[in-house]
Amino acid sequence: MTGDPRFQPVDAAVVPRFADVATFMRTRRHEVSPDVDVALVGVPFDLGVNFRTGARQGPAGVREASRLIRRVHPTTGVSPFELCNVADLGDAPVNPLDKDKSIAQIQGFFETLRENRIVPISVGGDHTIPTPILRGLVTDEPVGVLQFDAHPDTLEELCGDTVNHATFMRLGHKEGWIDPKRTLQIGLRGSRFSEADIQYGIDAGFTVITIDDYEAMGRAAVIAKIHEVLGDRPFYITLDIDGVDPAFCPGTAVPEIGGLIPRDLQVILRSLTGKPIVGADISEVAPCFDPTGITCVTAANLMFEMLCAIAPAVAAGRG
Amino acid sequence: MTGDPRFQPVDAAVVPRFADVATFMRTRRHEVSPDVDVALVGVPFDLGVNFRTGARQGPAGVREASRLIRRVHPTTGVSPFELCNVADLGDAPVNPLDKDKSIAQIQGFFETLRENRIVPISVGGDHTIPTPILRGLVTDEPVGVLQFDAHPDTLEELCGDTVNHATFMRLGHKEGWIDPKRTLQIGLRGSRFSEADIQYGIDAGFTVITIDDYEAMGRAAVIAKIHEVLGDRPFYITLDIDGVDPAFCPGTAVPEIGGLIPRDLQVILRSLTGKPIVGADISEVAPCFDPTGITCVTAANLMFEMLCAIAPAVAAGRG
Amino acid sequence: MTGDPRFQPVDAAVVPRFADVATFMRTRRHEVSPDVDVALVGVPFDLGVNFRTGARQGPAGVREASRLIRRVHPTTGVSPFELCNVADLGDAPVNPLDKDKSIAQIQGFFETLRENRIVPISVGGDHTIPTPILRGLVTDEPVGVLQFDAHPDTLEELCGDTVNHATFMRLGHKEGWIDPKRTLQIGLRGSRFSEADIQYGIDAGFTVITIDDYEAMGRAAVIAKIHEVLGDRPFYITLDIDGVDPAFCPGTAVPEIGGLIPRDLQVILRSLTGKPIVGADISEVAPCFDPTGITCVTAANLMFEMLCAIAPAVAAGRG
Amino acid sequence: MTGDPRFQPVDAAVVPRFADVATFMRTRRHEVSPDVDVALVGVPFDLGVNFRTGARQGPAGVREASRLIRRVHPTTGVSPFELCNVADLGDAPVNPLDKDKSIAQIQGFFETLRENRIVPISVGGDHTIPTPILRGLVTDEPVGVLQFDAHPDTLEELCGDTVNHATFMRLGHKEGWIDPKRTLQIGLRGSRFSEADIQYGIDAGFTVITIDDYEAMGRAAVIAKIHEVLGDRPFYITLDIDGVDPAFCPGTAVPEIGGLIPRDLQVILRSLTGKPIVGADISEVAPCFDPTGITCVTAANLMFEMLCAIAPAVAAGRG
Amino acid sequence: MTGDPRFQPVDAAVVPRFADVATFMRTRRHEVSPDVDVALVGVPFDLGVNFRTGARQGPAGVREASRLIRRVHPTTGVSPFELCNVADLGDAPVNPLDKDKSIAQIQGFFETLRENRIVPISVGGDHTIPTPILRGLVTDEPVGVLQFDAHPDTLEELCGDTVNHATFMRLGHKEGWIDPKRTLQIGLRGSRFSEADIQYGIDAGFTVITIDDYEAMGRAAVIAKIHEVLGDRPFYITLDIDGVDPAFCPGTAVPEIGGLIPRDLQVILRSLTGKPIVGADISEVAPCFDPTGITCVTAANLMFEMLCAIAPAVAAGRG
Amino acid sequence: MTGDPRFQPVDAAVVPRFADVATFMRTRRHEVSPDVDVALVGVPFDLGVNFRTGARQGPAGVREASRLIRRVHPTTGVSPFELCNVADLGDAPVNPLDKDKSIAQIQGFFETLRENRIVPISVGGDHTIPTPILRGLVTDEPVGVLQFDAHPDTLEELCGDTVNHATFMRLGHKEGWIDPKRTLQIGLRGSRFSEADIQYGIDAGFTVITIDDYEAMGRAAVIAKIHEVLGDRPFYITLDIDGVDPAFCPGTAVPEIGGLIPRDLQVILRSLTGKPIVGADISEVAPCFDPTGITCVTAANLMFEMLCAIAPAVAAGRG
């Protein structure tokens, strides 16, 4: 086992996986520092939802479930903790009583990560969080976005409010931190408020792959399309856990039947190994609706997929 | 947004989806009236089961879950509340202590709907309910039936009783309200009391598609077969939720593993848009066995699929 | 059975209690009107909490549980639906994305109730809601308040915010809608942020009865004290469900062990029958933390206690 | 350890309590036989309820929970398996589709027990079951009844039906198998359909101890009253588990807050050790509403209390 | 209905499926005897796990769920209870406080079964149990093994311990009761402690089919490969329930997303009908993590699949 | 706010209580050091039980629930984090596959704490853990023990094993680390394997207060007795959570109805403020049986009671 000894997860042969404090993947709880390459962070914000809340407990739930994660990827063989310094940087600051302040605080936190050249993998929190995350991370040119979601999140407003879990893709386009030509929305489905729900992204130039499209194309063609659209320039991955079918991930605010399965996500994320990923998030995990725990387990595993996809390029970039 | 303003669901932009009394899809709770085109009704009867009860809470559970439903179908674009007058007509009358009286009461209720030319979409209740529903709805010629189910429901009797959740397809054939040549049973599986469990329907001329057949044919061929068998004449849709795999719908009396997935039902139901559907039901939803809530969420969404399939023809017929 | 036939709950001998749409105690869902004497209303607001949310589903959960409520009080013999016109007025308007707007909307709703001379019994929502409720109800002289709670709710601020579920008693005192000399806080307990948590109320002149005091005095002496403090002038009752021991009411945001039992509440509320109660609320019921359902059942029963305490005076005042 | 070796429970030192088939208290599953002194039986009937069903799984749930029961009573020192032959006689026959047939079948089963001079302790099933049990057990003179319950079960009818879980005490009085002068109803509470709900028993001469009475008298005085009323002649014990407070027993059809606690039942039942008890039942345990399992655990323990109260007299009578 | 009347399951037409004591598939609870052909047994051992326990309740949970099983296989038509004598032989002896003693006791139990020429289908218990089972069953030549699992169970040790739920396949190879050339591992996936986790089996000559391989080959090719590898000589089937995707089987110690679905297992097991199967087990079912019950339902059904695959050869061999 | 700034819990006004990594009471995760005065530690060992496991997740569950704890005791006013240095020292080492090794490892860990003069408050793990804890802590004279428990834990062996969750009080007496004259067992109840279960402690000179005794004496007299027996010399507190009634703490291995309520524990523990307490534990918390979470919440609060009782003497001793 190689890798910086300061940044190795707790060894399961010494400390059983059920033991001690739960951090993400049993990595070290560390403060922000240039020594960290990849940050595992929580963003416990859920003031941006219009149905049911609960995603503020998402980071706690995923930390606990991530005790299951080991060290080596079974398919790609990537061993991220050998390649780079991975740590649990705790949670982004939020104010549970003030949506706007929270969004500013989150943005500030991710600015600091950017300044320290740390690539973040975040666990929400509701799907408002890509807005402050990307506002914080993106300074120069806009990034591509690979979104997995049941909903396009391109509404103009919800109850008169423009910054919430249904609007970030429109905001990103309008504010210029998303490059629409290198952006995909995958897994869209579910009844709509109006036809316009999905139209904004199409008009903006996003590559929209509804669940119908996904089924028609097949996973391999979708992967090819993803690679074609994203190209070799930097992009961000955002996974609203409701993109996954609710039989696999029931613990979420707005479940929509007939979705992607975790295997789809696994295979797609693995195909991105080594790509220039600037960050990623998994949002809308609400443990209070997850009595079997499988939503948190799924999120923890997909977080590891993201880490294994990200680690090689980070290691290369650092070398 | 067009459509009769008296029959629009509560607007989620004004009244959040978690707020106020739960009616089916947040439509208006209305009394029986010729103004109503499509009725969403509950049939809280579960005295016809021989394993575990609990489907009497089905209508309450699906009403609550149907807060999630919006206005427009994501694939067909049908906007049912613009096309016709949809209302929650409450629950059919039942007597919780008298199976026979309940069945007569339910039949009477559906006779009234027929007299008012209302197309009902019902939520059971156990799968006894198609018997009184179809006795009430069908007066002239028998109808085709599209049944999704793990079990054929063609037993002659259960513990000496002939009207229960395992017999309605035999009763319908014998009493003449089912046209066997235009009837399909899809998704049959699970261990059997005897070989005869499934044979009645085959002998009667039903088109029987077991889960083995379904897998062998593929969904597209099954859809083609459905259209061929049903033709263009009126038919009824009955969905025993145990037709769906129990990972997706655990909250039911008699789960059988290895079943259809919600996506199958979604695609099949969408293919029936505009067809002459005389009514539909979703039965055997038992919230007390559904701690994650996904059974009720699935039922609510499939109820919306049925509504979107039914609405265009109702609108056309009314025009 | 007497009472205005327009305002009788659904008859359980005709429509079983599990059937049809769930309204509070199966009363009629009615719009605001001077015909209504007592309103059962929901206030699905939970943006004022600093630990876990979920009380926005409180009104839905209590409506469903209140199917169990019958017509006559077992101890006092009060039959509220014969004495006055009771209806479910739906939920107060809220904006799930805007705390301040919601508070204004709620206040406006209760102003309308006051203008129609309707006495409200509300189900929250978090314990921020007495602030807009009493702002809306109280115009002239301040009212006495009978608060049951684990926490005093007299903080100055929480995370810099002054209007939330930990501050309403201080606000009421400062804004003048609470008469401190006729105000009691009962059941206080739980670890504190600082000694000051509880001191404000004492200094303001509230009668503070911690759980230690309650045990030392005994229930009968507490009741005598309540009557002495409240006197014969108007008062409001606010029940934070966390005032009840979490074995009896686990479904709440901030459970504190060692609390009041439902029997305590029942006996105290019964002692207030006929008193000039201007309104009441039950807050902090969070169904997502209530897998056994007993929190909602308890809330529904205590809501009926409130109704039976209120109805005689309302009837007398109307006569 | 003495006692007939054919009738000893499985030894936990040899077969761990989690192992092997679950019978009541790990006693032998035996057929009806004169060798058996005390029968532990299930009566999985729940067609007599008007709110929610689920008590048909009561016997299965209590069998599983009764793995916890050991051999010796901690207070009285009674060791029932040494005193007499105790066995699990399985479940009384029922027809899940026919209420009337089931009631006749249950009655027949208990007639057989009476003919074999077996004292039964039954686990329901809903609280209809004392009717067929006592019809089967009582042939000569009526018996006293000690009823623990939230509800008096003295209605004339429910939805037009006269034999259900709300009527057995009236039936027993009218049919003559209950001696009203030696009958007590303890723990009554909860809202009522009408004042008449409780009046029948009072008029019939039952000793009615509501929860208010219980609290006013105190447990010791209640016990004295029980002994005074029952005297030394035979009586039957019937425990509707909803007599217990729902924080302790949430898994039941019609929970009513503010009830007896298990300790009350324990102490009362212990006071009856050695009395001429002709049989006993615990009804309305519904495992599907008992996610924590404490309702089944409570029922299993109270069943052991009943057994320890019954065993000495049975042993003496057999001697 | 033919078959030895001493060994028929309880008839659901006489005793409803929810009634009486739960044995595996409602077969007779029998002692070890040469009259028995196929034994359904529990092995309630879970001292071999390094994450979360709970599989000791597996046999109890699967017995209860197996009330759902009927008599005839829906696809193959096999009616096992007509072909051979099937009984519930209770649980293998274990000592809950001594891992090593338990393993010896289990081995002894299976030696007795072998001596009585009984083919066992076991329900664990954790996946340590194939070690004592096969040590007990295999005396002469090693057997082939068909393993379904997320994990290869070929570690050398876990926390310094060599006999646990992660090592049995290595032990079997080293101790010589597994024939590596006729052994398959199917469904492997999940993050790894190191690359070596999976390598041992490959080096030993096992046919390793990871979930990636499975998807690439397709189910039909996998079945062909299974038949090719196993040939016509005796083999054993071991199913770690975590081989199944956790959406279908959440109730297990170490869930791994992206797994086999129950349909895969059903079709594969059916393909083995009539093969010389020397025994089978289903392990790692932990009911305490299975609030929906679907893990136990799945295990009960797959146990029936195993029984129907085994029965024809047993019947032929006995003939 | 005073107190060593290196050892203050995370401030809830800055980091909301739902945010960041869960440590006990949000204290700092610290390594063993003489700077620490009071250690909050987990002992995730559950290999000593003979019914159901799950207490290995106890430390994780209590850490998560202890997010609710604030800084100041509501009754005594003790503010422990101002008085002494409190930290989360993680979990004692255990080997999940080796009972004996684990017990030795745990003992070694507590020896280290003793050497550093740290007073530990431990969360189990099953109730075997006082054995290695006290073996590690006690070197000179034996200590008094204040045990709250449903079971006496004085068996000689369980299934032939002498070191498990039913034997530690006998071991402590025989090995000499318990002073029987200054030892109390409070809350004993539940059926017994034999009369001898409880006799050992009586014969050894323990003060045994069964739940019957407790009720007869009343809490105040019990407290007086505790003080009389313990005197002013050092003692240890051990709380088996099954000492608490299972309605309040269902999440435990062996629930026994009719127990102490949390209020009893609170008041008793408060009476010990300032006493020379050498350590304390809360054992047998099993989160997998605690779907409402109240067992973990109760344990977290009682842990804070212990801390507030211990802190003043520790501070004084350090001064």
Side-chain angles (χ1 to χ4, degrees), chain C residues 50-51 151 159 189-195 197 211-212 215 245-248 250 253-258 289 291-292, chain F residues 12-13 17-18 67-72 74-75 77 219 247-248 262-263 266-267 270 291-292 294 297-298 301-302 304:
Chain C
N50 71 332
F51 189 51
H151 312 99
C159 304
R189 62 189 189 282
S191 60
R192 295 181 188 150
F193 291 120
S194 85
E195 284 288 356
D197 290 12
I211 201 74
D212 293 334
E215 188 179 271
D245 190 281
F248 298 81
V254 190
E256 302 286 356
I257 66 170
F289 302 113
T292 60
Chain F
R17 291 189 286 174
F18 50 80
R67 292 176 182 273
L68 279 164
I69 303 301
R70 302 179 195 82
R71 297 180 54 86
V72 181
T75 299
R219 191 204 294 152
F248 298 82
R263 174 79 185 163
Q266 289 176 310
V267 175
R270 287 164 192 178
T292 60
I294 54 173
V297 165
T298 301
N301 275 279
L302 295 179
F304 185 68

Side-chain angles (χ1 to χ4, degrees), chain D residues 206-246:
Chain D
F206 300 169
T207 299
V208 175
I209 299 175
T210 68
I211 200 73
D212 292 334
D213 299 328
Y214 188 95
E215 187 179 271
M217 296 170 71
R219 192 204 294 151
V222 169
I223 290 175
K225 188 72 181 176
I226 290 171
H227 285 250
E228 175 196 326
V229 169
L230 292 176
D232 292 326
R233 305 229 315 283
F235 65 94
Y236 181 83
I237 303 172
T238 184
L239 166 58
D240 186 321
I241 205 74
D242 70 23
V244 183
D245 190 281

